[in-house]
Amino acid sequence: MLEELEIHNLGPIRSALIAPAGGMTAITGETGAGKSMLLSAIRLISGGPSDGGRVSVGAQEAWAQGVFEVASSPAAVAAAREAGFEPEDGELFLSRKVPASGRSRSMLSGRSVPRSVLASVAAELVTIHGQADQLRIATVSRQREFLDRYAGDEVALAAYGKTWNALRAMDERLERLSSQESSMRQQADYLRESIERINRVDPQPGEMDELRARRDRIENAAEIAEGVTRALGALDASQVADDVESASAADLIDRASQALRAIHVEGVFSELADRLDSISTDLSDVVFSLSGEVDNEASVEDLDAINGRIHELTRRWGPELSDVITWRDKAVYDLEDLDASPEKVEQLEAERAQLLEAAKKAAQAVSKRRRAAAKELASKVTAELDSLAMGTSKLEIRVAEREQLDATGADDIEFLFTPFPGSPQLPMGKSASGGELSRLMLALELVAAEKHVVAGGTVPPMTFIFDEVDAGVGGKAAVELGARLAKLAQSAQVLVVTHLPQVASWADEQYVVAKGETKDGSIATTISQVRGDERVHEIARMLSGSESETSLEHAEELLKSSVLD
C-alpha cells in the first residue's frame, strides 16, 4: 500500500506531499492544473522512463519518492530481498532523481539500484490503468498472466513448469550429444585417460594430510633422531649405548618406591609409593615407544615417492585431494554423456518421449483450467461493463490449444473486445478508447478481486491507479462508476484521477490539484487535501463550476449518498 508520495520540482509541482487513504483516494482539479504530474511521479518510482524536460523551470533536478507498506505483500518483499534489500519496519522507499540533463538515478530504501530493480519491486505494488500504461495488457503474456491469476491454479502451473524444465534439459543434453560429436570424442579420450591416471594413484579421502605428515617426518628425520636419542639417554641409557652401568630413570623410581614401602608405618608413605609405581609404568611405556622410533627412519627414496604422489595428484586436478576425487567423480558422469553410443542415445530419446508425454498431459490440465476460467471471467466482466456505461460492449477470452509446447503451456490466449453490436472483435488496446479501456480494466480488476474474496482468500495487496476512467461518462453511469471503484477499494488501495463529482464523492480521501501564483510571481501547482467544508466546496465546484448555495446543498447530498450498502 502506498503510504506517502512526495514530489519536488516535477513540472509545475514545486513541492507536494500526499498520504493516500487505505481505500479510495480521489485526485481532482481543473483541467491543466497538473494532475498528470502525479501519475508521472508514480511512473517514475515504478521504474518508468524519465524525461529531463519535465524538470521544473529553473530547477536542476526533479525528485519523487513513494513509501510503501509491504508487510502484507510477500511478493514485493521477495523481489526486494532478491535485490539484496530487507524492508525496514515493514516499509520500502522507492525514489527517483531526474536531472534536467543526464541520466536519472533510481534508489530503493536509500541505496542506488538499476532501474530494472525498481520496476520489479514496483510491479508487485502498483498497477497503473492509464491510457499509455494499459497498452501493456494488449500483450499476450500480460493477458495470460491475468487469466492464470484469476484461475488461481498454481499447482497445475507448477506441475507443468517442472515437466517442461525436465524436457528442456533433456533436449539440451541430446543436442549436445549430436552437435559436438568430434570434439566430444576428444573430450571423452581426455576424461578417460585422466580417470585411469587418478585411479592408478587411488587417492583416498584425508590421504593428503597423512602424506604431508609423513613428508614432514622424513624431512626432519635428523632432528627427530637426535631428540629421541637424547631423551632415551636421559630415561634409559641402555637403549642407546652398550655396557652402560648407570641406572635408568625407571630404576631410580623403583628404588624410591621400594624404600618407601620398607617404612612399615601406615599412611602417606604407601600412597606415595603407589604413585611412584604408576609413574614408573608410564615411563616404561614412553621408553618403549621412543625405542621403536629409533629404527623408524625413512629413506630419501621414500621422500621422493611421497612428493611425487602428492604432486601427481594435485598438479592437474588439485589443489587438494578432495578436489581430485570430486573432479574424477564428475568426469565419470560426464563421460557417460560423451560416450554417445547408439544405445545411450536411444535410451535418452526414450526418456525424452516419456517426458514429452508428461509435459503434454500437464499442459492439458492447465488448458482445461484456463478455458473454464476464461469463460467465467469474460461473462462476469461483460456483466460488469453494463454498470459502467458500456452495456453494449462485450469481452471474449479465447484460449486456443496448440501442438507446440513452450514455457507457458500449449495455449494461445487473446482478449477480444467488442465495443458495440456489429463491431468486429478486436484485440484489447486496439478496439477501445482510453476511457473505455480504463473501465474495462476496472471491470477485470473488480471481477478478479471478487473471485478471491468469494473463494475465501485474500486479494493480493496492490495499489490501483485509474486515469481517464470517467472519460465519456456522466449522470447515473458516473455514480455507478464511483460505486464500482469504491467496491474495489474494499479489498485494495485505489487512486483515481477524475473530473466527475459523482466519482470523487465515493472516495475516502480527496486531494485537489490547483495552479496558483507563487511569491516570486511564477505559476506553480499545489496539492492539498480537502475535508469537511473544504471538500463540500470542491465537490460543489465540480458540479456547477461555482459554489452557490444550491450547488453546496447538492454537494452535501451527493457525499452523504455515496456510501456502499
Side-chain angles (χ1 to χ4, degrees):
M1 183 179 74
L2 178 61
E3 294 184 323
E4 184 178 282
L5 178 65
E6 187 173 359
I7 306 168
H8 292 283
N9 298 323
L10 185 61
I13 301 177
R14 292 291 181 175
S15 180
L17 177 67
I18 68 171
M24 178 178 169
T25 299
I27 309 296
T28 62
E30 295 182 356
T31 302
K35 296 188 295 296
S36 62
M37 286 299 105
L38 288 174
L39 292 176
S40 296
I42 293 175
R43 291 189 183 102
L44 282 175
I45 64 172
S46 299
S50 62
D51 181 3
R54 292 196 173 185
V55 177
S56 299
V57 176
Q60 294 183 346
E61 65 181 18
W63 180 79
Q65 175 174 273
V67 181
F68 289 87
E69 184 276 319
V70 296
S72 57
S73 180
V77 173
R81 285 174 175 166
E82 187 175 348
F85 290 83
E86 187 69 30
E88 185 175 345
D89 297 327
E91 293 179 331
L92 284 174
F93 295 72
L94 281 65
S95 55
R96 193 87 172 273
K97 286 183 178 180
V98 181
S101 61
R103 299 177 61 182
S104 68
R105 184 181 179 189
S106 303
M107 286 168 286
L108 181 58
S109 291
R111 288 162 49 194
S112 295
V113 294
R115 183 159 66 100
S116 58
V117 171
L118 209 62
S120 66
V121 175
E124 305 297 340
L125 296 168
V126 181
T127 297
I128 303 175
H129 291 308
Q131 185 170 5
D133 307 277
Q134 288 169 164
L135 295 178
R136 292 179 299 176
I137 196 65
T139 64
V140 172
S141 61
R142 292 280 182 164
Q143 293 174 5
R144 186 192 63 253
E145 290 171 5
F146 193 97
L147 180 61
D148 284 341
R149 285 200 306 270
Y150 181 79
D153 196 8
E154 291 83 3
V155 175
L157 287 170
Y160 174 74
K162 184 177 180 179
T163 58
W164 168 255
N165 290 335
L167 179 63
R168 290 297 302 147
M170 180 60 73
D171 285 341
E172 291 172 2
R173 191 173 178 183
L174 285 167
E175 183 179 356
R176 191 166 63 246
L177 289 174
S178 61
S179 64
Q180 300 177 0
E181 186 173 349
S182 174
S183 61
M184 287 168 64
R185 279 199 302 268
Q186 297 177 7
Q187 179 71 3
D189 291 341
Y190 166 73
L191 290 178
R192 194 178 293 107
E193 179 185 352
S194 299
I195 292 169
E196 290 173 357
R197 290 182 63 181
I198 295 173
N199 286 340
R200 281 198 303 271
V201 177
D202 190 24
Q204 300 298 320
E207 184 182 3
M208 182 66 83
D209 293 337
E210 179 185 346
L211 289 174
R212 285 171 175 159
R214 288 174 58 192
R215 182 178 64 185
D216 290 344
R217 184 181 178 86
I218 293 172
E219 290 175 342
N220 295 279
E223 183 180 349
I224 293 172
E226 181 184 357
V228 169
T229 301
R230 290 174 60 189
L232 281 173
L235 295 174
D236 189 353
S238 66
Q239 298 291 329
V240 295
D242 296 332
D243 301 326
V244 175
E245 297 181 357
S246 60
S248 67
D251 290 337
L252 295 175
I253 292 173
D254 286 340
R255 291 177 190 176
S257 174
Q258 292 171 9
L260 291 175
R261 293 190 186 282
I263 302 173
H264 300 293
V265 176
E266 296 290 337
V268 67
F269 305 112
S270 177
E271 295 176 2
L272 291 173
D274 290 341
R275 290 174 61 185
L276 287 172
D277 290 342
S278 176
I279 292 171
S280 178
T281 300
D282 292 341
L283 193 59
S284 297
D285 289 342
V286 172
V287 169
F288 179 79
S289 299
L290 287 175
S291 62
E293 294 293 335
V294 173
D295 299 323
N296 190 15
E297 296 181 359
S299 64
V300 176
E301 289 76 15
D302 291 332
L303 179 60
D304 291 341
I306 290 172
N307 283 330
R309 181 175 177 82
I310 293 175
H311 182 70
E312 180 180 3
L313 291 173
T314 58
R315 179 175 60 87
R316 298 182 64 181
W317 305 293
E320 299 293 333
L321 269 183
S322 58
D323 300 315
V324 177
I325 296 171
T326 299
W327 189 93
R328 179 195 60 189
D329 294 344
K330 183 178 184 301
V332 170
Y333 177 80
D334 292 342
L335 188 59
E336 293 181 4
D337 280 355
L338 293 171
D339 281 337
S341 63
E343 292 80 8
K344 182 66 175 179
V345 174
E346 184 177 346
Q347 175 191 343
L348 293 178
E349 288 178 342
E351 292 179 15
R352 186 200 182 275
Q354 293 177 350
L355 288 172
L356 178 60
E357 285 304 312
K360 286 182 176 180
K361 186 175 179 181
Q364 289 171 356
V366 172
S367 295
K368 183 178 179 181
R369 293 298 300 265
R370 281 175 175 165
R371 286 193 297 272
K375 184 177 180 180
E376 178 184 297
L377 177 59
S379 175
K380 290 188 175 181
V381 168
T382 298
E384 190 69 43
L385 290 174
D386 185 42
S387 62
L388 297 174
M390 296 172 65
T392 60
S393 303
K394 182 180 180 182
L395 176 68
E396 179 183 346
I397 302 176
R398 189 172 296 168
V399 180
E401 195 170 352
R402 47 178 155 74
E403 285 293 325
Q404 187 175 2
L405 300 177
D406 62 19
T408 65
D411 300 312
D412 290 325
I413 296 171
E414 194 172 18
F415 283 33
L416 300 172
F417 181 62
T418 305
F420 55 86
S423 169
Q425 286 184 326
L426 293 173
M428 276 183 61
K430 296 182 180 180
S431 56
S433 64
E436 287 176 330
L437 195 52
S438 290
R439 295 197 293 279
L440 176 55
M441 288 310 307
L442 172 58
L444 283 164
E445 300 291 6
L446 278 166
V447 172
E450 184 179 11
K451 169 75 175 288
H452 285 286
V453 173
V454 171
T458 57
V459 180
M462 181 65 68
T463 297
F464 293 107
I465 300 171
F466 290 92
D467 185 32
E468 297 189 79
V469 70
D470 56 4
V473 177
K476 184 179 179 181
V479 175
E480 188 61 30
L481 173 60
R484 309 314 283 170
L485 286 164
K487 181 180 179 182
L488 178 60
Q490 289 181 323
S491 54
Q493 186 182 40
V494 174
L495 277 72
V496 56
V497 178
T498 181
H499 68 278
L500 292 181
Q502 297 93 331
V503 172
S505 63
W506 288 90
D508 300 295
E509 300 286 357
Q510 184 172 348
Y511 285 83
V512 178
V513 181
K515 277 187 177 180
E517 186 174 338
T518 63
K519 293 180 180 179
D520 60 5
S522 61
I523 301 298
T525 291
T526 60
I527 302 175
S528 56
Q529 186 175 12
V530 289
R531 290 177 174 171
D533 290 342
E534 288 184 336
R535 189 177 183 193
V536 173
H537 280 264
E538 172 62 14
I539 294 294
R541 182 201 62 78
M542 296 175 71
L543 282 167
S544 64
S546 66
E547 299 178 20
S548 64
E549 184 176 345
T550 301
S551 61
L552 289 172
E553 290 176 356
H554 189 184
E556 288 181 346
E557 182 182 350
L558 183 60
L559 286 167
K560 290 179 181 178
S561 63
S562 299
V563 179
L564 291 174
D565 295 333

Coordinates of all heavy atoms in Angstrom, one line a residue, residues 169-225:
A169 N 15.8 -29.7 -20.4 CA 17.1 -30.2 -20.0 C 17.5 -31.4 -20.9 O 18.7 -31.5 -21.3 CB 17.1 -30.5 -18.5
M170 N 16.6 -32.3 -21.1 CA 16.8 -33.5 -21.9 C 17.1 -33.1 -23.4 O 18.0 -33.6 -24.0 CB 15.7 -34.4 -21.9 CG 15.9 -35.7 -22.7 SD 17.3 -36.7 -22.2 CE 16.7 -37.3 -20.6
D171 N 16.4 -32.1 -23.9 CA 16.6 -31.6 -25.3 C 18.0 -31.1 -25.4 O 18.7 -31.3 -26.4 CB 15.6 -30.6 -25.7 CG 14.2 -31.2 -26.0 OD1 14.2 -32.4 -26.2 OD2 13.2 -30.4 -25.9
E172 N 18.4 -30.3 -24.4 CA 19.8 -29.7 -24.5 C 20.9 -30.8 -24.4 O 21.9 -30.7 -25.0 CB 20.0 -28.8 -23.3 CG 19.1 -27.5 -23.4 CD 19.1 -26.6 -22.2 OE1 19.9 -27.0 -21.2 OE2 18.5 -25.6 -22.2
R173 N 20.6 -31.9 -23.6 CA 21.5 -33.0 -23.5 C 21.7 -33.7 -24.8 O 22.8 -34.0 -25.3 CB 21.1 -33.9 -22.4 CG 22.1 -35.0 -22.0 CD 21.6 -35.7 -20.8 NE 22.5 -36.8 -20.4 CZ 22.3 -37.6 -19.4 NH1 21.1 -37.6 -18.7 NH2 23.2 -38.6 -19.1
L174 N 20.5 -34.0 -25.5 CA 20.6 -34.7 -26.7 C 21.2 -33.8 -27.8 O 22.0 -34.3 -28.7 CB 19.2 -35.1 -27.2 CG 18.5 -36.2 -26.4 CD1 17.1 -36.3 -26.7 CD2 19.2 -37.6 -26.8
E175 N 20.9 -32.5 -27.8 CA 21.5 -31.6 -28.8 C 23.0 -31.6 -28.6 O 23.8 -31.5 -29.6 CB 20.9 -30.2 -28.6 CG 21.4 -29.2 -29.7 CD 20.8 -27.9 -29.5 OE1 19.9 -27.7 -28.7 OE2 21.2 -27.0 -30.3
R176 N 23.5 -31.6 -27.3 CA 24.9 -31.6 -27.1 C 25.6 -32.8 -27.6 O 26.7 -32.8 -28.2 CB 25.1 -31.4 -25.6 CG 26.6 -31.1 -25.2 CD 26.6 -30.6 -23.7 NE 26.2 -31.7 -22.8 CZ 25.1 -31.6 -22.0 NH1 24.4 -30.5 -22.1 NH2 24.8 -32.5 -21.2
L177 N 24.9 -33.9 -27.5 CA 25.4 -35.2 -28.0 C 25.6 -35.2 -29.5 O 26.6 -35.7 -30.0 CB 24.6 -36.4 -27.5 CG 24.6 -36.7 -26.0 CD1 23.6 -37.8 -25.7 CD2 26.0 -37.2 -25.6
S178 N 24.6 -34.7 -30.2 CA 24.6 -34.8 -31.6 C 25.4 -33.7 -32.3 O 26.0 -33.9 -33.4 CB 23.1 -34.7 -32.1 OG 22.6 -33.4 -31.8
S179 N 25.5 -32.5 -31.7 CA 26.2 -31.4 -32.4 C 27.7 -31.3 -32.1 O 28.4 -30.5 -32.7 CB 25.5 -30.1 -32.0 OG 25.6 -29.8 -30.7
Q180 N 28.2 -32.0 -31.1 CA 29.6 -31.9 -30.7 C 30.3 -33.2 -30.8 O 31.1 -33.5 -29.9 CB 29.7 -31.3 -29.3 CG 29.0 -29.9 -29.2 CD 29.1 -29.4 -27.8 OE1 29.6 -30.0 -26.9 NE2 28.5 -28.2 -27.6
E181 N 29.9 -34.0 -31.7 CA 30.4 -35.4 -31.8 C 31.9 -35.5 -31.8 O 32.6 -36.2 -31.1 CB 29.8 -36.1 -33.0 CG 30.1 -37.6 -33.0 CD 29.4 -38.3 -34.1 OE1 28.5 -37.8 -34.7 OE2 29.7 -39.5 -34.4
S182 N 32.6 -34.7 -32.7 CA 34.0 -34.8 -32.9 C 34.7 -34.3 -31.6 O 35.6 -35.0 -31.1 CB 34.4 -34.0 -34.1 OG 35.8 -33.9 -34.2
S183 N 34.4 -33.1 -31.2 CA 35.1 -32.6 -30.0 C 34.7 -33.4 -28.8 O 35.6 -33.5 -27.9 CB 34.6 -31.1 -29.8 OG 33.2 -31.0 -29.6
M184 N 33.6 -34.0 -28.8 CA 33.2 -34.8 -27.6 C 34.0 -36.1 -27.6 O 34.4 -36.6 -26.5 CB 31.7 -35.2 -27.7 CG 30.8 -34.0 -27.4 SD 29.1 -34.3 -27.8 CE 28.7 -35.7 -26.7
R185 N 34.4 -36.6 -28.7 CA 35.3 -37.8 -28.7 C 36.6 -37.5 -28.1 O 37.2 -38.2 -27.3 CB 35.5 -38.4 -30.1 CG 34.3 -39.2 -30.6 CD 34.7 -40.1 -31.8 NE 35.2 -39.3 -32.9 CZ 34.4 -38.8 -33.9 NH1 33.2 -39.1 -33.9 NH2 35.0 -38.1 -34.9
Q186 N 37.2 -36.3 -28.5 CA 38.4 -35.9 -27.9 C 38.3 -35.6 -26.4 O 39.2 -36.0 -25.6 CB 38.9 -34.6 -28.6 CG 39.2 -34.7 -30.1 CD 39.6 -33.4 -30.7 OE1 39.7 -32.4 -30.0 NE2 39.7 -33.4 -32.0
Q187 N 37.2 -35.0 -26.0 CA 37.0 -34.8 -24.6 C 36.8 -36.1 -23.8 O 37.3 -36.2 -22.7 CB 35.7 -33.9 -24.4 CG 35.4 -33.6 -23.0 CD 36.4 -32.6 -22.3 OE1 37.3 -32.2 -22.9 NE2 36.2 -32.4 -21.0
A188 N 36.2 -37.0 -24.5 CA 36.0 -38.3 -23.8 C 37.3 -39.0 -23.6 O 37.5 -39.7 -22.6 CB 35.0 -39.2 -24.7
D189 N 38.2 -39.0 -24.7 CA 39.5 -39.6 -24.5 C 40.3 -39.0 -23.4 O 41.0 -39.7 -22.6 CB 40.3 -39.4 -25.8 CG 39.7 -40.3 -27.0 OD1 39.0 -41.2 -26.6 OD2 40.0 -40.0 -28.1
Y190 N 40.2 -37.6 -23.3 CA 40.9 -36.9 -22.2 C 40.4 -37.4 -20.8 O 41.1 -37.6 -19.9 CB 40.8 -35.4 -22.4 CG 41.2 -34.6 -21.2 CD1 42.5 -34.5 -20.8 CD2 40.2 -34.0 -20.3 CE1 42.9 -33.8 -19.7 CE2 40.6 -33.3 -19.2 CZ 41.9 -33.2 -18.9 OH 42.3 -32.5 -17.7
L191 N 39.1 -37.4 -20.7 CA 38.4 -37.8 -19.4 C 38.8 -39.2 -19.1 O 39.1 -39.5 -17.9 CB 36.9 -37.6 -19.5 CG 36.4 -36.2 -19.6 CD1 34.9 -36.2 -19.7 CD2 36.8 -35.4 -18.3
R192 N 38.7 -40.1 -20.1 CA 39.0 -41.5 -19.8 C 40.5 -41.7 -19.3 O 40.7 -42.4 -18.3 CB 38.8 -42.3 -21.1 CG 38.7 -43.8 -20.9 CD 38.4 -44.5 -22.1 NE 37.0 -44.2 -22.6 CZ 36.8 -43.4 -23.7 NH1 37.7 -42.9 -24.3 NH2 35.5 -43.2 -24.0
E193 N 41.4 -41.0 -20.0 CA 42.8 -41.1 -19.6 C 43.0 -40.5 -18.2 O 43.8 -41.1 -17.4 CB 43.7 -40.4 -20.6 CG 45.2 -40.4 -20.3 CD 46.0 -39.5 -21.2 OE1 45.4 -39.1 -22.2 OE2 47.2 -39.4 -21.0
S194 N 42.4 -39.4 -17.9 CA 42.6 -38.8 -16.6 C 42.0 -39.6 -15.5 O 42.6 -39.8 -14.4 CB 41.9 -37.4 -16.6 OG 42.5 -36.5 -17.6
I195 N 40.8 -40.2 -15.8 CA 40.2 -41.1 -14.8 C 41.1 -42.3 -14.5 O 41.3 -42.7 -13.3 CB 38.8 -41.6 -15.2 CG1 37.9 -40.4 -15.2 CG2 38.3 -42.7 -14.3 CD1 36.5 -40.7 -16.0
E196 N 41.7 -42.9 -15.5 CA 42.6 -44.0 -15.3 C 43.8 -43.6 -14.5 O 44.3 -44.4 -13.6 CB 43.0 -44.6 -16.7 CG 41.9 -45.3 -17.5 CD 42.3 -45.7 -18.9 OE1 43.4 -45.4 -19.3 OE2 41.5 -46.3 -19.6
R197 N 44.4 -42.4 -14.8 CA 45.6 -42.0 -14.1 C 45.3 -41.8 -12.6 O 46.0 -42.1 -11.7 CB 46.1 -40.7 -14.7 CG 46.8 -40.9 -16.1 CD 47.3 -39.6 -16.6 NE 48.4 -39.1 -15.7 CZ 49.1 -38.0 -16.0 NH1 48.7 -37.2 -17.0 NH2 50.1 -37.6 -15.2
I198 N 44.1 -41.2 -12.4 CA 43.7 -40.9 -11.0 C 43.5 -42.3 -10.2 O 43.9 -42.5 -9.1 CB 42.5 -40.0 -10.9 CG1 42.8 -38.6 -11.4 CG2 42.0 -39.9 -9.4 CD1 41.7 -37.7 -11.5
N199 N 42.8 -43.2 -10.9 CA 42.5 -44.5 -10.3 C 43.8 -45.3 -10.0 O 43.8 -46.1 -9.1 CB 41.6 -45.3 -11.2 CG 40.1 -44.7 -11.2 OD1 39.8 -44.0 -10.3 ND2 39.4 -45.1 -12.2
R200 N 44.8 -45.1 -10.9 CA 46.1 -45.8 -10.6 C 46.7 -45.3 -9.3 O 47.2 -46.1 -8.5 CB 47.1 -45.6 -11.8 CG 46.8 -46.5 -13.0 CD 48.0 -46.5 -13.9 NE 48.5 -45.2 -14.3 CZ 48.1 -44.6 -15.4 NH1 47.2 -45.2 -16.2 NH2 48.6 -43.4 -15.8
V201 N 46.6 -44.0 -9.1 CA 47.1 -43.5 -7.9 C 46.2 -43.9 -6.7 O 46.6 -44.0 -5.6 CB 47.3 -42.0 -8.0 CG1 47.7 -41.3 -6.7 CG2 48.2 -41.6 -9.1
D202 N 44.9 -44.0 -7.0 CA 43.9 -44.4 -6.0 C 43.9 -43.5 -4.8 O 44.2 -43.9 -3.6 CB 44.1 -45.8 -5.5 CG 42.9 -46.4 -4.7 OD1 41.8 -45.8 -4.9 OD2 43.1 -47.3 -3.9
P203 N 43.6 -42.2 -5.0 CA 43.6 -41.3 -3.8 C 42.4 -41.6 -2.9 O 41.4 -42.1 -3.3 CB 43.3 -39.9 -4.5 CG 42.6 -40.2 -5.7 CD 43.2 -41.5 -6.2
Q204 N 42.7 -41.4 -1.6 CA 41.7 -41.7 -0.6 C 41.4 -40.4 0.2 O 42.2 -39.5 0.4 CB 42.2 -42.7 0.4 CG 42.5 -44.0 -0.2 CD 41.3 -44.7 -0.9 OE1 40.2 -44.7 -0.3 NE2 41.5 -45.3 -2.1
P205 N 40.1 -40.2 0.6 CA 39.8 -39.0 1.4 C 40.7 -38.9 2.6 O 40.9 -39.9 3.4 CB 38.3 -39.3 1.8 CG 37.8 -40.2 0.7 CD 39.0 -41.1 0.4
G206 N 41.2 -37.7 2.9 CA 42.1 -37.5 4.0 C 43.5 -37.9 3.8 O 44.4 -37.7 4.7
E207 N 43.8 -38.5 2.7 CA 45.2 -39.0 2.5 C 46.2 -37.9 2.4 O 47.4 -38.1 2.8 CB 45.2 -39.9 1.2 CG 46.6 -40.5 0.9 CD 46.6 -41.3 -0.4 OE1 45.6 -41.3 -1.1 OE2 47.7 -41.9 -0.6
M208 N 45.8 -36.7 1.9 CA 46.8 -35.7 1.8 C 47.4 -35.3 3.1 O 48.6 -35.0 3.2 CB 46.1 -34.4 1.2 CG 47.0 -33.3 0.9 SD 48.3 -33.6 -0.3 CE 47.3 -33.3 -1.8
D209 N 46.6 -35.2 4.2 CA 47.1 -34.9 5.5 C 48.1 -35.9 6.0 O 49.2 -35.6 6.5 CB 46.0 -34.8 6.5 CG 45.1 -33.6 6.2 OD1 45.5 -32.6 5.6 OD2 43.9 -33.6 6.6
E210 N 47.8 -37.2 5.7 CA 48.7 -38.3 6.1 C 50.0 -38.2 5.3 O 51.1 -38.3 5.9 CB 48.0 -39.6 5.8 CG 48.9 -40.8 6.2 CD 48.3 -42.1 5.8 OE1 47.1 -42.1 5.6 OE2 49.0 -43.1 5.8
L211 N 49.9 -37.9 4.0 CA 51.2 -37.8 3.2 C 52.0 -36.6 3.6 O 53.2 -36.7 3.7 CB 50.8 -37.7 1.7 CG 50.2 -38.9 1.0 CD1 49.7 -38.6 -0.4 CD2 51.2 -40.0 1.0
R212 N 51.4 -35.5 3.9 CA 52.1 -34.4 4.4 C 52.8 -34.6 5.7 O 53.9 -34.1 6.0 CB 51.2 -33.2 4.4 CG 50.9 -32.6 3.0 CD 49.8 -31.5 3.1 NE 49.5 -30.9 1.8 CZ 48.4 -30.3 1.5 NH1 47.5 -30.2 2.4 NH2 48.3 -29.8 0.3
A213 N 52.1 -35.3 6.6 CA 52.7 -35.7 7.9 C 53.9 -36.6 7.7 O 55.0 -36.4 8.4 CB 51.7 -36.3 8.8
R214 N 53.8 -37.6 6.8 CA 55.0 -38.4 6.6 C 56.1 -37.7 5.9 O 57.3 -37.9 6.3 CB 54.5 -39.6 5.6 CG 53.6 -40.6 6.3 CD 53.1 -41.6 5.3 NE 54.2 -42.3 4.7 CZ 54.0 -43.1 3.6 NH1 52.8 -43.2 3.0 NH2 55.0 -43.7 3.0
R215 N 55.8 -36.8 5.0 CA 56.9 -36.0 4.4 C 57.6 -35.1 5.4 O 58.8 -35.0 5.5 CB 56.3 -35.1 3.3 CG 57.3 -34.2 2.6 CD 56.6 -33.4 1.5 NE 55.7 -32.5 2.0 CZ 54.9 -31.7 1.3 NH1 55.0 -31.8 0.0 NH2 54.1 -30.8 1.8
D216 N 56.8 -34.5 6.3 CA 57.4 -33.6 7.4 C 58.3 -34.5 8.3 O 59.4 -34.0 8.7 CB 56.3 -33.0 8.2 CG 55.5 -31.9 7.4 OD1 56.0 -31.5 6.4 OD2 54.4 -31.5 7.9
R217 N 57.9 -35.7 8.5 CA 58.7 -36.6 9.4 C 60.1 -36.9 8.7 O 61.1 -36.9 9.3 CB 58.0 -37.8 9.7 CG 58.7 -38.7 10.7 CD 57.9 -40.0 11.0 NE 58.7 -40.8 11.9 CZ 58.7 -40.7 13.2 NH1 57.9 -39.8 13.8 NH2 59.4 -41.6 14.0
I218 N 60.0 -37.2 7.4 CA 61.2 -37.6 6.7 C 62.1 -36.4 6.6 O 63.4 -36.5 6.8 CB 60.9 -38.1 5.3 CG1 60.1 -39.5 5.4 CG2 62.1 -38.3 4.4 CD1 59.5 -40.0 4.1
E219 N 61.6 -35.2 6.3 CA 62.4 -34.0 6.1 C 63.0 -33.6 7.4 O 64.1 -32.9 7.4 CB 61.5 -32.9 5.5 CG 61.1 -33.1 4.1 CD 60.1 -32.0 3.6 OE1 59.6 -31.3 4.5 OE2 59.9 -31.9 2.4
N220 N 62.5 -34.0 8.5 CA 63.1 -33.6 9.8 C 63.6 -34.9 10.6 O 63.7 -34.9 11.8 CB 62.0 -33.0 10.7 CG 61.5 -31.6 10.1 OD1 62.2 -30.6 10.3 ND2 60.4 -31.7 9.5
A221 N 64.0 -35.9 9.8 CA 64.5 -37.1 10.3 C 65.7 -36.9 11.3 O 65.7 -37.5 12.4 CB 64.8 -38.1 9.2
A222 N 66.7 -36.2 10.9 CA 67.9 -36.0 11.7 C 67.5 -35.3 13.0 O 68.0 -35.8 14.1 CB 68.9 -35.1 10.9
E223 N 66.7 -34.3 13.0 CA 66.3 -33.7 14.2 C 65.5 -34.6 15.1 O 65.7 -34.6 16.4 CB 65.5 -32.4 13.9 CG 65.1 -31.6 15.1 CD 64.2 -30.4 14.7 OE1 64.2 -30.1 13.5 OE2 63.6 -29.8 15.6
I224 N 64.7 -35.4 14.5 CA 63.9 -36.4 15.3 C 64.8 -37.4 15.9 O 64.6 -37.8 17.1 CB 62.8 -37.1 14.4 CG1 61.8 -36.1 13.9 CG2 62.2 -38.2 15.1 CD1 60.8 -36.6 12.9
A225 N 65.8 -37.9 15.2 CA 66.7 -39.0 15.7 C 67.5 -38.5 16.9 O 67.7 -39.1 17.9 CB 67.6 -39.5 14.6

